[in-house]
Amino acid sequence: MTTETLNIITLLAATVLSTVAAITDTRTGQIPNWLTLPPLVALPLLNALCSPSLALDSVLSAALCGFVPLVSFRLGAMGGGDVKLFAALGASVGTQHGLEIQCLSVALAALYGLALLAFRGELLSAMGSIVLRPVLLLLCPQRLQAQRAVSPLSLRLGVPIFVATVLVLAAHGSVPGHIL
Protein backbone atom coordinates (compact mmCIF):
# COMPACT_ATOMS: atom_id res chain seq x y z
CA MET A 1 0.00 0.00 0.00
CA THR A 2 1.39 3.40 -0.90
CA THR A 3 1.63 6.22 1.60
CA GLU A 4 -0.64 8.32 -0.62
CA THR A 5 -3.38 5.70 -0.40
CA LEU A 6 -2.86 5.34 3.34
CA ASN A 7 -3.06 9.12 3.75
CA ILE A 8 -6.40 9.27 1.92
CA ILE A 9 -7.79 6.35 3.94
CA THR A 10 -6.77 7.86 7.29
CA LEU A 11 -8.14 11.30 6.40
CA LEU A 12 -11.43 9.72 5.31
CA ALA A 13 -11.52 7.55 8.43
CA ALA A 14 -11.08 10.58 10.69
CA THR A 15 -13.72 12.58 8.82
CA VAL A 16 -16.30 9.77 8.74
CA LEU A 17 -15.58 8.87 12.37
CA SER A 18 -16.10 12.43 13.60
CA THR A 19 -19.18 12.93 11.39
CA VAL A 20 -20.97 9.82 12.66
CA ALA A 21 -19.92 10.64 16.24
CA ALA A 22 -21.40 14.13 15.95
CA ILE A 23 -24.69 12.75 14.62
CA THR A 24 -25.02 10.02 17.26
CA ASP A 25 -23.93 12.35 20.07
CA THR A 26 -26.48 14.96 18.99
CA ARG A 27 -29.30 12.41 18.73
CA THR A 28 -28.56 10.18 21.73
CA GLY A 29 -26.04 11.98 23.94
CA GLN A 30 -23.60 9.09 23.49
CA ILE A 31 -20.72 8.16 21.23
CA PRO A 32 -21.04 4.36 20.97
CA ASN A 33 -18.30 1.75 21.29
CA TRP A 34 -19.21 0.23 17.90
CA LEU A 35 -18.01 3.48 16.37
CA THR A 36 -14.82 4.14 18.32
CA LEU A 37 -13.34 0.74 19.15
CA PRO A 38 -12.96 -0.71 15.61
CA PRO A 39 -10.76 2.20 14.43
CA LEU A 40 -8.57 1.79 17.51
CA VAL A 41 -7.79 -1.75 16.31
CA ALA A 42 -8.03 -1.35 12.53
CA LEU A 43 -5.97 1.80 12.02
CA PRO A 44 -2.74 0.50 13.58
CA LEU A 45 -3.17 -2.71 11.54
CA LEU A 46 -3.74 -0.68 8.39
CA ASN A 47 -0.65 1.40 9.12
CA ALA A 48 1.33 -1.82 9.65
CA LEU A 49 0.69 -2.69 6.00
CA CYS A 50 2.75 0.34 5.06
CA SER A 51 5.34 0.33 7.82
CA PRO A 52 5.76 -1.19 11.29
CA SER A 53 6.89 2.20 12.59
CA LEU A 54 3.62 3.77 11.40
CA ALA A 55 1.70 1.08 13.28
CA LEU A 56 3.63 1.89 16.47
CA ASP A 57 3.07 5.60 15.86
CA SER A 58 -0.67 4.97 15.50
CA VAL A 59 -0.82 3.11 18.82
CA LEU A 60 1.25 5.75 20.62
CA SER A 61 -0.84 8.54 19.09
CA ALA A 62 -4.03 6.88 20.33
CA ALA A 63 -2.56 6.63 23.83
CA LEU A 64 -1.30 10.21 23.89
CA CYS A 65 -4.50 11.67 22.44
CA GLY A 66 -6.59 9.69 24.90
CA PHE A 67 -4.58 10.49 28.05
CA VAL A 68 -5.90 13.97 28.99
CA PRO A 69 -9.49 13.07 28.03
CA LEU A 70 -9.17 9.95 30.20
CA VAL A 71 -8.08 12.07 33.16
CA SER A 72 -11.01 14.41 32.46
CA PHE A 73 -13.35 11.41 32.34
CA ARG A 74 -12.04 10.14 35.67
CA LEU A 75 -12.73 13.60 37.15
CA GLY A 76 -16.27 13.53 35.76
CA ALA A 77 -15.68 16.29 33.24
CA MET A 78 -16.02 14.26 30.05
CA GLY A 79 -17.87 11.22 28.76
CA GLY A 80 -16.21 7.91 27.95
CA GLY A 81 -17.26 8.07 24.31
CA ASP A 82 -15.42 11.37 23.92
CA VAL A 83 -12.27 9.77 25.35
CA LYS A 84 -12.41 6.86 22.89
CA LEU A 85 -13.20 9.21 20.01
CA PHE A 86 -10.15 11.37 20.76
CA ALA A 87 -8.00 8.23 20.98
CA ALA A 88 -9.39 6.87 17.68
CA LEU A 89 -8.77 10.20 15.97
CA GLY A 90 -5.22 10.14 17.32
CA ALA A 91 -4.74 6.65 15.88
CA SER A 92 -6.00 7.94 12.56
CA VAL A 93 -4.26 11.29 12.13
CA GLY A 94 -1.28 11.08 14.46
CA THR A 95 -0.35 12.82 17.68
CA GLN A 96 0.16 16.34 16.32
CA HIS A 97 -3.15 16.58 14.49
CA GLY A 98 -4.95 14.58 17.18
CA LEU A 99 -3.87 17.01 19.90
CA GLU A 100 -4.74 19.98 17.68
CA ILE A 101 -8.22 18.52 17.19
CA GLN A 102 -8.51 17.98 20.93
CA CYS A 103 -7.47 21.53 21.86
CA LEU A 104 -9.67 23.14 19.22
CA SER A 105 -12.64 20.95 20.23
CA VAL A 106 -12.37 22.01 23.86
CA ALA A 107 -11.98 25.68 22.86
CA LEU A 108 -15.04 25.52 20.60
CA ALA A 109 -17.08 23.79 23.31
CA ALA A 110 -15.97 26.38 25.88
CA LEU A 111 -16.93 29.28 23.62
CA TYR A 112 -20.29 27.67 22.90
CA GLY A 113 -20.84 27.04 26.61
CA LEU A 114 -20.03 30.64 27.53
CA ALA A 115 -22.34 31.92 24.80
CA LEU A 116 -25.11 29.58 25.97
CA LEU A 117 -24.73 30.68 29.60
CA ALA A 118 -24.78 34.34 28.53
CA PHE A 119 -27.89 33.73 26.42
CA ARG A 120 -29.61 32.08 29.40
CA GLY A 121 -28.54 34.96 31.68
CA GLU A 122 -26.52 32.54 33.85
CA LEU A 123 -22.98 33.56 32.92
CA LEU A 124 -22.24 35.77 35.94
CA SER A 125 -23.59 33.28 38.48
CA ALA A 126 -21.65 30.43 36.85
CA MET A 127 -18.44 32.48 36.85
CA GLY A 128 -19.07 33.45 40.48
CA SER A 129 -19.45 29.83 41.53
CA ILE A 130 -16.21 28.94 39.76
CA VAL A 131 -14.35 31.72 41.59
CA LEU A 132 -15.91 31.00 44.99
CA ARG A 133 -15.51 27.21 44.91
CA PRO A 134 -11.80 27.20 45.94
CA VAL A 135 -12.52 29.69 48.74
CA LEU A 136 -15.36 27.54 50.06
CA LEU A 137 -13.16 24.47 49.80
CA LEU A 138 -10.57 26.15 52.03
CA LEU A 139 -13.06 27.51 54.57
CA CYS A 140 -15.41 24.56 54.94
CA PRO A 141 -14.15 21.52 53.00
CA GLN A 142 -16.49 19.02 54.68
CA ARG A 143 -19.60 20.91 53.64
CA LEU A 144 -18.45 21.40 50.08
CA GLN A 145 -17.31 17.79 49.69
CA ALA A 146 -20.64 16.57 51.08
CA GLN A 147 -22.50 18.46 48.38
CA ARG A 148 -22.68 16.84 45.01
CA ALA A 149 -21.04 19.01 42.37
CA VAL A 150 -23.74 20.16 39.98
CA SER A 151 -22.55 21.60 36.72
CA PRO A 152 -24.55 24.60 35.53
CA LEU A 153 -24.10 23.38 31.98
CA SER A 154 -23.47 20.06 30.31
CA LEU A 155 -22.23 20.05 26.73
CA ARG A 156 -22.00 17.29 24.19
CA LEU A 157 -18.61 17.30 22.46
CA GLY A 158 -19.50 15.39 19.29
CA VAL A 159 -20.18 18.47 17.16
CA PRO A 160 -17.17 20.49 18.39
CA ILE A 161 -14.95 17.45 17.73
CA PHE A 162 -16.37 17.16 14.20
CA VAL A 163 -15.84 20.87 13.47
CA ALA A 164 -12.31 20.76 14.89
CA THR A 165 -11.49 17.65 12.85
CA VAL A 166 -12.64 19.26 9.61
CA LEU A 167 -10.78 22.50 10.36
CA VAL A 168 -7.52 20.84 11.38
CA LEU A 169 -7.49 18.41 8.44
CA ALA A 170 -8.44 21.18 5.99
CA ALA A 171 -5.65 23.37 7.35
CA HIS A 172 -3.00 20.66 7.01
CA GLY A 173 -4.29 18.50 4.18
CA SER A 174 -2.26 15.45 5.16
CA VAL A 175 -1.33 13.20 8.02
CA PRO A 176 2.12 13.73 9.60
CA GLY A 177 4.53 10.98 8.69
CA HIS A 178 2.64 10.04 5.54
CA ILE A 179 2.71 12.88 3.04
CA LEU A 180 4.12 16.26 3.99
Side-chain angles (χ1 to χ4, degrees), residues 2-178:
T2 68
T3 55
E4 293 168 357
T5 303
L6 182 61
N7 187 48
I8 291 169
I9 290 170
T10 55
L11 291 174
L12 282 173
T15 305
V16 169
L17 180 63
S18 65
T19 302
V20 175
I23 292 167
T24 59
D25 195 27
T26 300
R27 288 184 178 170
T28 67
Q30 296 183 348
I31 299 172
N33 287 339
W34 61 259
L35 178 64
T36 55
L37 295 180
L40 284 170
V41 174
L43 290 167
L45 293 175
L46 183 64
N47 282 318
L49 295 175
C50 196
S51 163
S53 65
L54 286 178
L56 179 61
D57 181 59
S58 185
V59 171
L60 291 175
S61 294
L64 290 171
C65 291
F67 178 72
V68 170
L70 180 61
V71 172
S72 296
F73 170 73
R74 299 287 290 164
L75 294 173
M78 185 177 289
D82 300 318
V83 175
K84 291 175 276 190
L85 179 58
F86 280 128
L89 287 170
S92 177
V93 300
T95 305
Q96 177 186 341
H97 291 356
L99 293 176
E100 287 178 24
I101 290 168
Q102 192 176 122
C103 290
L104 185 56
S105 299
V106 172
L108 290 170
L111 288 173
Y112 173 70
L114 289 172
L116 189 58
L117 285 171
F119 179 75
R120 291 179 179 174
E122 300 171 354
L123 181 60
L124 291 178
S125 67
M127 297 304 277
S129 69
I130 290 170
V131 170
L132 290 177
R133 195 162 197 56
V135 173
L136 292 174
L137 185 59
L138 289 173
L139 296 177
C140 47
Q142 298 84 7
R143 181 174 171 217
L144 194 59
Q145 289 173 352
Q147 295 176 349
R148 182 184 161 136
V150 177
S151 172
L153 183 64
S154 176
L155 297 175
R156 295 178 181 168
L157 290 179
V159 172
I161 293 170
F162 164 72
V163 172
T165 300
V166 170
L167 292 174
V168 167
L169 296 181
H172 294 289
S174 67
V175 176
H178 301 321

